[in-house]
Amino acid sequence: MVKAIRVHELGGPEAMRWEEVEVGEPKDGEIRVKNTAVGVNFIDVYFRKGVFSAPLPFTPGMEAVGVVTAVGSGLTGMKVGDVVAYAGMPMGSYAEEQIIPTRVAVPVPPSINHNTVAAILLKGMTVHVLIRRVFKVEPGHTILLHAAAGGVGSLLCQWANALGATVIGTISNEEKAVHAAQDGCHHVIISTKEDVVARVKEITDGKGVDVVYDSVGKDTYKVSLESLAVHGYLVSFGESSGSPDPISMSDLSPKSLFLTTASMLTYTGTRDELLQSAGEVFANLASGVLRIRVNHTYPLSEAARAHADLEARKTSGSILLIPDN
């Protein structure tokens, strides 16, 4: 038996319980991993609240790094003692140990420590999908990013800046403005004090931006549309403030805008896509393009406190859960 966070009913952070669970032995095509560091992402909140559905009870979490402790019969290519990471499905990383399919396990370069990998893999691959596949950011582009000081936002600022884009970011307070600027955000807008659309128009000489990356949703949807240039792209990849109101085609037609959603999971669905995306993240980490800021660590048993702080916007950068044992 090992300990894990379990959700028996949907709700707030208090819905997460620290319980004993049976892990079992890996079957064909599976490995058992003893987690050393677990990443916290806003998608974990969505599942806990029921925005995304999962059969109850469940163990949340979609990102971890650890050491292989057992392999399924007949498995080749991985062995006990290997260090691997995963980001995405299946859910269940808020646990001391877990079983995962081999196809989702990414070998971890020995030069990168476990905490760094757990803090960057899911967010880094999300950024790779957003700026290299959904809308390919190139030199000369101007982009707008909401929540620029968050875990994904921090990495997106760094990567887009390195690609030669002009980065405009919105944040909620002065402290986060400092972090965003350090990460390569050229123009920081404090959305609680400034008119975002007016500032974007001022920065872009009235043209608007080529793309908006919006993980906030309801509170920012209209601002995002109004900030776009003609033929601009609104890329929605989260709804931390709730779902936007129904979107009419008439909202898009005046400037012939493009609207798309983006999920890292659908862009890393094959083994080749997964390894390519993870490889891009590790390469940019090694070259210094990406720097991870782990500002908050919690014992795994206190995952509820981590979620409460995340939802209250008390955090910036990446959040980790460290197994208690």
Side-chain angles (χ1 to χ4, degrees):
M1 300 288 282
V2 301
K3 287 287 192 75
I5 295 291
R6 298 287 283 169
V7 175
H8 292 267
E9 58 184 20
L10 304 176
E14 70 281 355
M16 296 191 292
R17 305 177 189 173
W18 182 236
E19 298 178 347
E20 286 192 334
V21 296
E22 184 68 48
V23 178
E25 294 299 320
K27 301 180 178 64
D28 289 349
E30 295 180 335
I31 55 176
R32 191 175 71 217
V33 179
K34 182 180 177 64
N35 290 331
T36 56
V38 176
V40 176
N41 299 280
F42 218 97
I43 195 171
D44 305 340
V45 174
Y46 293 150
F47 276 104
R48 193 201 72 226
K49 287 182 170 182
V51 176
F52 298 152
S53 61
L56 293 167
F58 65 84
T59 297
M62 300 179 70
E63 180 178 33
V65 62
V67 179
V68 176
T69 58
V71 299
S73 60
L75 183 67
T76 59
M78 288 192 185
K79 64 184 185 301
V80 171
D82 284 349
V83 177
V84 298
Y86 95 101
M89 290 295 187
M91 194 163 48
S93 64
Y94 286 21
E96 292 174 334
E97 287 195 56
Q98 66 182 129
I99 290 176
I100 61 173
T102 310
R103 58 181 168 77
V104 305
V106 175
V108 175
S111 59
I112 308 177
N113 71 58
H114 294 201
N115 284 13
T116 298
V117 176
I120 200 172
L121 188 58
L122 189 146
K123 301 173 189 68
M125 290 198 300
T126 297
V127 172
H128 173 255
V129 164
L130 291 173
I131 69 174
R132 303 309 289 156
R133 298 193 62 188
V134 178
F135 179 93
K136 193 169 185 179
V137 174
E138 304 284 2
H141 281 149
T142 301
I143 75 172
L144 173 63
L145 167 66
H146 296 299
V152 170
S154 170
L155 296 173
L156 199 152
C157 286
Q158 296 171 35
W159 204 331
N161 184 33
L163 290 171
T166 297
V167 182
I168 305 171
T170 70
I171 42 77
S172 58
N173 58 52
E174 286 82 357
E175 181 183 358
K176 291 184 177 182
V178 173
H179 291 159
Q182 291 172 343
D183 287 329
C185 187
H186 302 97
H187 305 277
V188 180
I189 302 172
I190 301 177
S191 59
T192 53
K193 296 182 177 181
E194 300 178 83
D195 183 324
V196 176
V197 176
R199 287 282 290 119
V200 168
K201 297 295 186 183
E202 177 187 341
I203 293 164
T204 62
D205 294 325
K207 296 177 182 177
V209 297
D210 298 291
V211 59
V212 178
Y213 294 107
D214 191 337
S215 64
V216 178
K218 186 177 181 66
D219 291 349
T220 53
Y221 159 65
K222 290 184 178 179
V223 167
S224 295
L225 283 181
E226 293 174 14
S227 298
L228 283 168
V230 172
H231 304 161
Y233 281 69
L234 171 51
V235 181
S236 171
F237 67 103
E239 300 177 350
S240 62
S241 68
S243 298
D245 295 331
I247 298 168
S248 169
M249 295 298 288
S250 62
D251 292 336
L252 308 178
S253 58
K255 292 188 284 187
S256 297
L257 301 176
F258 295 85
L259 170 64
T260 184
T261 59
S263 166
M264 183 273 290
L265 299 177
T266 63
Y267 280 87
T268 56
T270 70
R271 181 71 177 166
D272 286 345
E273 288 175 326
L274 172 66
L275 294 179
Q276 178 194 10
S277 189
E280 290 276 353
V281 173
F282 290 149
N284 280 280
L285 189 62
S287 69
V289 167
L290 297 180
R291 304 172 307 281
I292 196 70
R293 183 186 295 115
V294 182
N295 290 340
H296 313 274
T297 60
Y298 303 79
L300 178 57
S301 59
E302 296 182 23
R305 183 163 63 90
H307 274 222
D309 289 349
L310 176 61
E311 290 185 88
R313 303 180 79 172
K314 294 180 180 178
T315 65
S316 63
S318 294
I319 305 170
L320 289 184
L321 303 174
I322 306 299
D324 298 50
N325 57 349

